Amino acid sequence: MLEDTDTVRNVIVCTLCSCYPYELLGNPPWWYKHDSYKQEIITSPKKKLKEMFKLTVPASVEVRVYDSTSDIRYMVLPRRPEGTEGMSEKQLGRLVTQESLIGVGDPQAPVDESK
C-alpha cells in the first residue's frame, strides 16, 4: 500500500497489463491498457494527470509512478478528503473510487446530507 501525502502522490501502472487487481477493482478502465497511456504516465506523470484526468498536481508535490507486476501489486491509500472528520470507516469507504486507488483521481468529496 502506497500512501498519498501532502508532498507525494502515487500512481500505479502496469506495463504488462497482466497484473491489474480485478478481484478488488473490477475490470480496468479502457485507458489503463493503452500503450500511450502507460508510456506517458511514466515519462510525464503530471502532464498526463492534468491532460487526461483534469488533475492538477502542485509543483511542490512529487509524483511517484509504480509499475505493478505479477509478483508485486500496489494500491494507493488516497489522502483523506477535507470535511470527513468523524465519518465511519464505512462512510469513508463510499468516497473511494477506482481511480483514487490507482492514483489518477481523488476520493469523492463528502456529501452534506443536512441540505
Side-chain angles (χ1 to χ4, degrees), residues 50-81:
K50 184 172 185 171
E51 172 187 288
M52 198 164 171
F53 305 102
K54 311 291 186 256
L55 184 66
T56 302
V57 179
S60 61
V61 175
E62 175 188 3
V63 177
R64 296 179 185 166
V65 180
Y66 292 84
D67 188 4
S68 283
T69 67
S70 59
D71 295 327
I72 300 174
R73 297 188 185 194
Y74 299 100
M75 192 170 298
V76 174
L77 176 61
R79 292 183 60 213
R80 184 180 190 139

Side-chain angles (χ1 to χ4, degrees), residues 7-57:
T7 58
V8 174
R9 177 174 202 98
N10 299 287
V11 175
I12 311 305
V13 68
C14 180
T15 56
L16 299 176
C17 267
S18 61
C19 47
Y20 186 82
Y22 291 91
E23 305 81 27
L24 294 171
L25 300 179
N27 290 326
W30 64 268
W31 46 263
Y32 195 78
K33 292 185 175 187
H34 276 243
D35 289 337
S36 62
Y37 165 76
K38 293 186 279 186
Q39 184 177 37
E40 291 174 35
I41 199 69
I42 290 169
T43 58
S44 302
K46 287 186 180 184
K47 179 182 176 190
K48 192 64 177 174
L49 290 171
K50 184 172 185 171
E51 172 187 288
M52 198 164 171
F53 305 102
K54 311 291 186 256
L55 184 66
T56 302
V57 179

